[in-house]
Structure formats: C-alpha cells, structure tokens
Amino acid sequence: MNTRVPGHVVPRLSADLLHRLPETVARPGFAPRSLTTGILHLGCGSFHRAHQALATQHAMNQTGDARWGIAAVAINRPTIVDALRAQDNLYTTLLHEDGQARVEVVGALTETVHAPSDSIGVPNRIADPRVKIVTLTVTASGYCVSPVTGRLEADCPGVRHDVRHPTRPITPIGMLTQGLELVRRRGSTPPVVISCDNLCANGSTLRRAVIDFALLRDDHLAEWIARHVQFPNSVVDRIVQPTAPTDAAIARNWLGGIDDHAPVSAEPFMTWTIEDFEGERPQWELGGAQFVANVKDYELAKLRLLNGTHMLLAYLGGVAGHRTIAEATADPALAALARQFMLDEQGPTLALPGPELHRTVDDLMRRFRNPAIVQDMTRIGRNGSDKMIPRVVDALRDNIAAGRPTPGANLLIAAWIRWFTASHHPDAVMELIDPRADSLTELVDADPHRCAQAFLQRTDIFGTLPEAQRVQRQVGDALADLTRDGVDAAVRRRLAPEWEGSNR
C-alpha cells in the first residue's frame, strides 16, 4: 500500500522494499516471510516492539533460527494492527541519544491480531503446538490483581465476564486460562508464559492470578496449571516514548523516502533479565538478555531506582509545571532530590555494592535527562495507586525499620496527593488517570494533615504502614509545604547539605 501525496505517491514500508533501504538502516538478517510463529505476545504496544521483538530479531539474526516469529495481539484497539498489517508487519525502531539515532527495521512479527475481532481466537492461538512461549506487556491493570494481596480480584468486571463466557475471554488472564485449558484437553506441552510488565515477581503474580481464575472454573484445571506451566519472573528496562507525530517524518527521512506508519522511538539502553526455565526458546542472550537463577535483586533495583524515581519526578515535576521527565531533571532542585532519593533512601534497601549503586544512579540521571525521549507526566504518573507499594512504600518500610529518614518518599506521596487537586488547574501538565480516582478525590481536604491521614489510611494502596502517625505527620507537613510555598521550596527544605546545589 502506498501513501498519496499531491504530485506523487510515497511508497509504504513492505517486505518487497527492504532491498531499497539505505545502508545506514539495519534490517532483518532473514526473510520475514520465512518465519514461523513460535511466540504469542499479548499487548502489541510500543514497548514490546522496541524491546522483546527487537531482541528476538537480533537473536534470529545471529542464529538463523526462523521458528521464533511473533504473533502480536492487541487486546483492545485495532489501530496499531491496521497500521502494521498494511506494511507486512514491519516497522522501524529509532533509538535516540545525544542528537543521534540508530535506526532498524524490525521483521520479527509474523502476524498482528486484534483480539476482539480475531476469528481464530486468542486461546486457540495460545494452544497452537508451534507456540512455545507466550509473553505479556499489558500493564499492571491488565492482571486484575490487588496491589496489596497480589491475588486476583474476582469482582473485576472483566474477570466476571470471562468466568461467564470462558470461550470468549476479554482479559489477558481469561485468554491465558482458556488457552491452557485447550492445551490440557489436547494433552500437549504447555507454552512457557513470561510476563514483561513492571510488577513485583511478575511471573509469580501472573501464575497466581491464572490459578486463581482457574479455581473459579475448575479445580482440576487449576491443579494442572500449577503442576505443568512455567511462569518465570523477568525484569525489563528500556525507556520507550509514545509515538509522536514527528516519528513518521524522521523514519521516512532515514528510510530514503519510504513511509512507516508504525515507528517506535526509544533510548539505546536496554536490559532483559529472565529466570532460567526449561524448554525451547530463542537465544535471547544474543539480543541483550541474560538468564539468571533469581531475578529478585534485579527487580527491586529496577522498581525502586528507576520506577520509584520516575514517580518522584513525575508528581513533583508535574506540580511544578514541568511537562516531561527531561524537563524535571533539568530543574536543579529536583535533580538533586532525585539523586538523594536514589542514593540515601532507595539504594540502601537494595543488595547493590556502593560503586555499582553510584554507577547505576549516574546512568539513570543521564537517561532521565535525554531530551530526545519525551516521557510526559501523564504517562509516567498514571495509575499511581497501583504502583505505590512496590515502587515506594516497600522501601519506605525498610528505611523506617532501619531508622533512616525518608524525606523523598514523604514528598513523593505528598505530591501524588496534591495532584488530585492540582490536575484541575487550567495549566495542569498531567491528566489525572487512576483506577481509584473517584474515591480518592472524595478524600481531598483543605487541611493538609487531615488530607494526608485520609489518603494514607487506604490500606488497599499503602498496606499497613509502620509508625503510621509519624508518616502521616511527615507527609502532611510535606503537603502543607507544597500547597503553601511550592515545589522548589518544599524540595530544598528536604535536601541534605551535601546535596544542595547538586545537579551532576
């Protein structure tokens, strides 16, 4: 398919045009049409296409093993499916840093699927004997689990639908369970299921949710899943930005005038740490992954240093009027607080040697400052009530137990609470998106200490806090400072002397 422009026709990216790409553009080292589908992925978003799909392409480039093509499933909207199908499921990755870009056309997708309109059905695809691995990037809300208990929320509307209509599931959990039920009936070997979402013990959480769902239907199915299906934990890391209008123009320029309606922009940095599992798989280690016995330490470091600090910069930066993480990190006071938060609060709760911690923090500050990766505050700050425990509160508890001060965590929580009123301002830079927004907005109080107490008593968000009254007082003080004096003054009051003026 081509795009018509007044006066001429712009060719659309396709397998037949790969030979016309400039030499500066990397491309598949295999014929995309020669691949067979060995992986099913739930969640055909930008992150998957810039991370797992790209790593899979690099693995296949190195080995020539063509069995690991990916069928990527869009759970809800068909937009990306329509765009990719029109160009043989090819797309361009643009990796930006220091004013430069590394450009590669990816051909690892054998098929793109819109789940609600798929005539085959996602469960049948999961049960295909050729599919050895199922991966997921559906965000925390797609798991339908409580952030406090980690167990399936059986009253979730999607879960209720899937229990009533098991052969027509609409949730990833329902799709997986029905697909595994088909595998069981056929006596086949089940696929390995790998979560690539930012959840604590993401594989274990997914396993528990699938078993919980199966228990709502059939005890024998739940027992079979528990015995036979592997759900290895994994940790993923790459900052990927939502597709911007400029991406298509950048891709067209790099592709020598060929149009791509589905490019992805990301940073060059990428890691993927996966627990060892049995069975066939791509040689992902050739694409930047590593396999380990236990991912817990990697997971905690990612959630607390990267994701927790992202929340700090998003909420405080958003209240201060900064529109992106790069803008917030360019603010001297916020940059100093981010570094202090990582080194003095989050870092001491991790099993990282001092030199490695400092190197990690330096790398993160550089990544946060990358102006070519536009991380808008709404995207980073959305669904904060689901993220608070693993990214902030767990480390807060550890620090309280060790007698360490927690000024950054207190200010982060206060800024999140502040956002429930600040988001209504005409100049707000962050939209309020949270699954508990309605009930939390009702807790807003003009008195900052009453407001902090009401929010922190939500055990579905914060669990049971140690020294709860002291935490409520400190968060209330921070909220009062933010409301009365603004972000800069509130931040500077909480910087230790050695961090004042630090913006390294």
Side-chain angles (χ1 to χ4, degrees), residues 36-40 66-71 110 130-134 191:
T36 56
T37 300
I39 301 170
L40 183 88
R67 296 175 300 154
W68 301 110
I70 303 168
T110 53
R130 296 172 300 173
V131 171
K132 308 298 184 184
I133 295 170
V134 177

Side-chain angles (χ1 to χ4, degrees), residues 6-30:
H8 68 288
V9 176
V10 179
R12 182 84 171 262
L13 182 62
S14 71
D16 292 333
L17 293 181
L18 285 174
H19 70 283
R20 287 180 46 181
L21 296 176
E23 292 183 0
T24 51
V25 177
R27 68 208 70 190
F30 48 83

Side-chain angles (χ1 to χ4, degrees), residues 404-472:
R404 290 186 291 262
T406 57
N410 296 333
L411 197 53
L412 185 162
I413 294 168
W416 174 69
I417 295 171
R418 175 70 177 150
W419 198 252
F420 283 83
T421 56
S423 61
H424 300 299
H425 193 277
D427 297 326
V429 299
M430 187 193 297
E431 182 183 356
L432 178 59
I433 299 176
D434 194 285
R436 298 167 180 81
D438 291 342
S439 63
L440 289 170
T441 300
E442 295 176 357
L443 303 179
V444 172
D445 192 300
D447 183 293
H449 288 88
R450 283 201 303 265
C451 189
Q453 181 181 25
F455 272 77
L456 289 165
Q457 286 177 340
R458 285 288 298 262
T459 56
D460 59 327
I461 299 170
F462 294 97
T464 302
L465 290 169
E467 302 185 25
Q469 290 185 343
R470 180 165 71 88
V471 174
Q472 290 168 11

Side-chain angles (χ1 to χ4, degrees), residues 378-399:
T378 294
R379 184 165 180 254
I380 301 300
R382 66 189 175 187
N383 303 332
S385 65
D386 279 340
K387 303 171 181 176
M388 201 61 69
I389 286 178
R391 302 183 183 192
V392 182
V393 176
D394 283 343
L396 173 72
R397 289 194 186 104
D398 291 347
N399 282 318

Side-chain angles (χ1 to χ4, degrees), residues 1-2 11-21 27-28 30-35 83-91 105-110 255 258-259:
M1 182 181 295
N2 297 323
R12 182 84 171 262
L13 182 62
S14 71
D16 292 333
L17 293 181
L18 285 174
H19 70 283
R20 287 180 46 181
L21 296 176
R27 68 208 70 190
F30 48 83
R33 291 170 177 155
S34 71
L35 299 180
L84 287 166
R85 284 178 178 172
Q87 50 196 49
D88 295 332
N89 298 309
L90 300 171
Y91 62 92
V105 170
V106 181
L109 304 187
T110 53
L255 299 181
I258 296 173
D259 248 346

Side-chain angles (χ1 to χ4, degrees), residues 294-339:
N294 192 318
V295 303
K296 182 177 180 181
D297 289 342
Y298 299 91
E299 172 188 272
L300 286 179
K302 163 76 184 316
L303 289 170
R304 295 185 183 184
L305 294 177
L306 171 64
N307 300 128
T309 309
H310 253 158
M311 292 174 70
L312 178 110
L313 291 167
Y315 295 125
L316 285 166
V319 173
H322 300 303
R323 296 184 177 275
T324 67
I325 294 296
E327 283 184 22
T329 314
D331 181 315
L334 287 177
L337 181 68
R339 187 175 287 275

